[in-house]
Amino acid sequence: MARHVYVTKLDQVNRDLLENARSMTMAVDREFANVQASLTALGTSPSFRARDFVAIHLQSREILKNYPGADIIVAESDGQQLVNTYRPLGSVLPKRNNPDTVRRIFEGGKPVVSNLYYGAITRRPVIAIDVPVMIDGRVAYDLSMSFPAHELSSVLRSQNVFKEWYGTVVDRNGVITVRTSKGDLFVGKELTGELRTAMSRASEGILRIKTPQGGVAFSAYAKSPLSGWTVAVAVPREFALREIYSWMRWVVGAGVFTSFLGILLASWIARRIARDIQSLVEPALAIGRGEPATTIGTDSGKETSDVAEALVQASQLLQRRAAERDQAERQLSDTIEDLKRETAERIRAMEEVRRQEHLLTQQSRQAALGEMVGNIAHQWRQPLNALGLLVQQPLLFHELGELDREFLEENKSKSMALVQHMSQTIDDFRNFFRPDKEKRRFKVCDEVAKVLSLVDGSLQSLGVTLDVQQDGDPAIEGYPNEFAQVLLNILVNARDAIAEREVVSPKVLVRIAEQDGRAVVTVTDNAGGIPEEIMDKIFDPYFTTKGPQSGTGVGLFMSKTIIEKNMGGMLTACNVAGGAQFRIEV
């Protein structure tokens, strides 16, 4: 316990030190921000554009009333001072002693907090905050306020919560700019030792350091995100642990006294409890045997009498609970039987749903197969006509006396090309109806091209202009043949609508794109659109507008099932100008 108290208190000291370092860092940042705001306001004065340095000198004096001991300097890009409130107006002024800061102002055009340096005129260690003076969008002057480094000591002292402590401010070069204790000995010197090493590794932290006097101190530091400076706080080890040791002595003493008192009390209570417990053995054994416990007489005390009575009540309660348990088991058995019957009914219902889905799939494929027969006829009509002409040519050329081997070879080549084309058409249709067994990655444009090759003949027979637009080359994971079947259903519906309504200049636009990482295919026609009263029903099973002789009503239903259930996408329809548009998104 003592160790726990020690570790807890020590951890609290470290946390307080780090919070104090952060508070001091924010205080220093606020001081710098206030100076920066004052300089920025001064930089907007019209006197800079007019190069009225007398007015600038007077305005700077007004601002410095709020900053005792500080000076304001105006310099050009080469560091030449034009105004320095430390000297009388009109004095000859040298160049600034921090050319790096001046260069950063004119190159970056942003405020800069300098490192510690010695003023060119005052010859004292100072800190400068510089802001650019912008005229016509470019840096015209470097406006700076410099003040003695020791001015920050009061800022640090106003934030600290410890008594015997000291604070240190280190600039970006690791040079000590402020120290609340013995500042004359340390300001301007480079920080060394464990603290400097720790600052180079992290923006804030806690550590133990050795003091110049050979002692040990607890230290915490935090780096300013505004200036890049670091504030460190240190407390001597003996002072930080003084409260901890005092608290531990009190805890140990209280613990010893409490333990002794507890031992005496426990001994008396143990003897009384042992006597009372002995009188409760018999009723407890009766309960263990499942027998009713009888009331016992005891003079050991009210607590024992209460426990004995409780044992009797518990025995009676157990008897009632046993009866209730038997009844509950019978009810549970009945419930299980009901659940078994309900489960069997649900299984039968699910099997019926699967059977219906399978039936719809078969009907959809049969309907598509009927469409394919018509498409085969369209795809073969032109090759058969051409083949018929080629078959008649040898006899005609023989009668004309122009039949030779070269003509026969050419005639044979053309005939075989037509036969191979017709054979490939059969293979394409056969592959189209082969079911996919597993998902695979495929390109959308390949499946679109395959479907268009199957329906191109039937579309051309109606004079339909087919336009394909592609934006990107999307690929998806799914079943390519089922995806192609969905496209076929949509294109056949568009073709039928165009034929039924006798559309003048019929058009079908197929667009392939990729949006937000998903493939999108839209099919748009100009057949007049879908009536609004049936828009919500077109994806229902067995719903058709073609009549019982022309449609089954399962095509769009199965298409939506394939896209949304099997491939995790979306199939939607809407009316556009002059027609309907179906959108597939996977």
Side-chain angles (χ1 to χ4, degrees):
M1 179 178 178
R3 176 173 176 78
H4 175 72
V5 171
Y6 174 81
V7 173
T8 301
K9 287 291 184 180
L10 184 58
D11 187 52
Q12 183 62 45
V13 169
N14 287 332
R15 287 198 300 269
D16 291 343
L17 272 173
L18 183 58
E19 287 300 323
N20 208 36
R22 291 170 178 166
S23 298
M24 291 184 180
T25 302
M26 289 189 290
V28 171
D29 283 351
R30 283 195 300 270
E31 187 70 17
F32 287 167
N34 290 337
V35 172
Q36 181 180 315
S38 298
L39 290 176
T40 302
L42 177 60
T44 61
S45 172
S47 302
F48 282 98
R49 180 181 291 274
R51 294 184 64 85
D52 187 353
F53 298 117
V54 174
I56 294 173
H57 191 280
L58 295 176
Q59 293 166 3
S60 300
R61 285 288 188 184
E62 287 297 318
I63 292 177
L64 290 177
K65 291 179 180 180
N66 298 320
Y67 301 96
D71 299 300
I72 291 180
I73 300 169
V74 179
E76 294 183 312
S77 59
D78 60 353
Q80 177 61 50
Q81 299 184 42
L82 302 174
V83 174
N84 189 323
T85 58
Y86 186 77
R87 289 283 187 88
L89 188 63
S91 300
V92 178
L93 302 175
K95 290 186 177 182
R96 296 195 62 186
N97 265 8
N98 54 344
D100 182 64
T101 300
V102 177
R103 178 184 57 78
R104 290 172 60 189
I105 286 292
F106 278 90
E107 290 181 357
K110 295 181 179 179
V112 176
V113 178
S114 74
N115 292 313
L116 183 72
Y117 70 99
Y118 286 85
I121 296 177
T122 61
R123 301 299 180 183
R124 59 184 179 181
V126 293
I127 305 163
I129 299 176
D130 294 53
V131 299
V133 177
M134 308 298 294
I135 298 179
D136 296 332
R138 66 178 187 85
V139 181
Y141 302 102
D142 173 15
L143 179 60
S144 173
M145 180 185 292
S146 63
F147 49 88
H150 63 78
E151 290 292 333
L152 289 179
S153 296
S154 59
V155 176
L156 298 184
R157 291 191 181 94
S158 66
Q159 297 295 319
N160 192 66
V161 297
F162 296 99
K163 295 180 180 179
E164 300 181 20
W165 68 283
Y166 58 90
T168 305
V169 180
V170 182
D171 66 13
R172 292 183 297 274
N173 292 332
V175 176
I176 298 173
T177 59
V178 178
R179 199 173 191 272
T180 58
S181 175
K182 300 179 180 179
D184 295 340
L185 299 177
F186 293 96
V187 172
K189 295 183 179 179
E190 188 172 349
L191 182 67
T192 58
E194 303 99 322
L195 186 57
R196 176 64 182 276
T197 303
M199 289 179 179
S200 65
R201 293 175 179 171
S203 59
E204 65 177 28
I206 303 170
L207 71 160
R208 293 187 183 186
I209 61 174
K210 292 182 179 179
T211 63
Q213 295 76 21
V216 177
F218 295 113
S219 179
Y221 64 91
K223 187 175 182 179
S224 165
L226 175 65
S227 62
W229 288 20
T230 304
V231 178
V233 182
V235 179
R237 180 176 180 273
E238 57 274 13
F239 173 76
L241 297 181
R242 186 183 305 162
E243 182 181 355
I244 297 177
Y245 290 151
S246 175
W247 175 257
M248 288 181 62
R249 285 193 294 269
W250 185 88
V251 169
V252 171
V256 171
F257 176 75
T258 303
S259 299
F260 178 74
L261 189 61
I263 291 172
L264 293 178
L265 183 60
S267 177
W268 177 78
I269 293 175
R271 287 194 297 270
R272 187 173 184 275
I273 290 175
R275 185 172 64 252
D276 293 346
I277 289 177
Q278 189 63 35
S279 65
L280 301 175
V281 172
E282 184 56 34
L285 291 175
I287 292 175
R289 294 190 295 268
E291 301 173 356
T294 58
T295 304
I296 61 172
T298 177
D299 57 356
S300 299
K302 182 179 183 299
E303 293 83 359
T304 305
S305 299
D306 291 343
V307 173
E309 183 62 28
L311 287 173
V312 174
Q313 294 176 3
S315 175
Q316 297 170 352
L317 180 60
L318 286 173
Q319 297 296 322
R320 290 196 301 271
R321 291 289 173 83
E324 293 172 357
R325 179 198 60 202
D326 295 339
Q327 183 181 358
E329 287 178 351
R330 289 192 296 271
Q331 292 176 350
L332 179 61
S333 178
D334 295 340
T335 302
I336 290 174
E337 291 299 324
D338 293 340
L339 287 175
K340 287 181 179 178
R341 288 192 296 272
E342 184 180 346
T343 302
E345 293 175 359
R346 289 187 178 181
I347 291 174
R348 286 194 296 272
M350 291 176 64
E351 290 176 349
E352 178 63 21
V353 170
R354 285 195 291 269
R355 190 184 70 80
Q356 292 293 336
E357 288 183 352
H358 179 71
L359 179 61
L360 288 174
T361 302
Q362 291 299 110
Q363 290 177 347
S364 176
R365 286 190 173 273
Q366 290 172 0
L369 182 60
E371 293 291 341
M372 287 300 100
V373 172
N375 288 328
I376 290 174
H378 284 293
Q379 293 293 92
W380 275 22
R381 181 172 288 111
Q382 182 177 354
L384 283 174
N385 290 337
L387 186 61
L389 292 175
L390 289 173
V391 169
Q392 298 175 43
Q393 280 184 352
L395 179 61
L396 177 63
F397 273 65
H398 180 269
E399 293 176 353
L400 296 175
E402 298 180 2
L403 184 65
D404 56 16
R405 182 176 182 83
E406 181 180 355
F407 170 77
L408 290 176
E409 290 289 344
E410 181 181 357
N411 187 274
K412 182 197 74 171
S413 299
K414 292 180 179 178
S415 299
M416 291 305 299
L418 289 171
V419 170
Q420 290 175 0
H421 172 71
M422 296 168 69
S423 176
Q424 182 62 41
T425 301
I426 293 296
D427 290 339
D428 289 343
F429 284 112
R430 183 180 60 191
N431 291 333
F432 181 81
F433 285 101
R434 180 178 296 128
D436 295 312
K437 295 183 178 180
E438 59 183 24
K439 286 186 176 182
R440 63 183 178 88
R441 193 163 187 82
F442 63 91
K443 290 187 176 181
V444 173
C445 60
D446 293 342
E447 297 307 312
V448 172
K450 181 172 72 175
V451 173
L452 294 181
S453 70
L454 299 179
V455 300
D456 183 58
S458 63
L459 291 177
Q460 287 184 0
S461 67
L462 296 175
V464 177
T465 301
L466 182 63
D467 185 13
V468 181
Q469 298 179 2
Q470 183 172 347
D471 183 9
D473 191 12
I476 58 178
E477 193 82 16
Y479 304 100
N481 281 350
E482 292 188 358
F483 185 82
Q485 183 179 346
V486 172
L487 283 174
L488 178 64
N489 288 338
I490 296 173
L491 287 169
V492 167
N493 284 347
R495 181 203 65 191
D496 293 346
I498 289 172
E500 178 184 353
R501 299 174 184 178
E502 299 179 353
V503 178
V504 179
S505 301
K507 296 179 181 179
V508 173
L509 169 64
V510 179
R511 187 172 185 274
I512 305 169
E514 186 172 2
Q515 297 178 2
D516 300 327
R518 294 170 68 89
V520 178
V521 178
T522 59
V523 179
T524 309
D525 61 48
N526 63 341
I530 303 168
E532 291 296 333
E533 59 269 16
I534 67 169
M535 179 67 77
D536 295 335
K537 302 177 182 179
I538 61 174
F539 293 110
D540 292 346
Y542 301 114
F543 179 81
T544 179
T545 59
K546 301 178 182 179
Q549 303 300 323
S550 302
T552 63
V554 298
L556 288 180
F557 169 73
M558 290 308 302
S559 297
K560 193 171 185 68
T561 301
I562 289 170
I563 294 300
E564 297 188 355
K565 184 176 180 181
N566 296 355
M567 301 181 67
M570 291 179 60
L571 173 60
T572 57
C574 65
N575 285 325
V576 296
Q581 181 183 88
F582 284 81
R583 176 185 175 93
I584 303 172
E585 183 177 344
V586 181

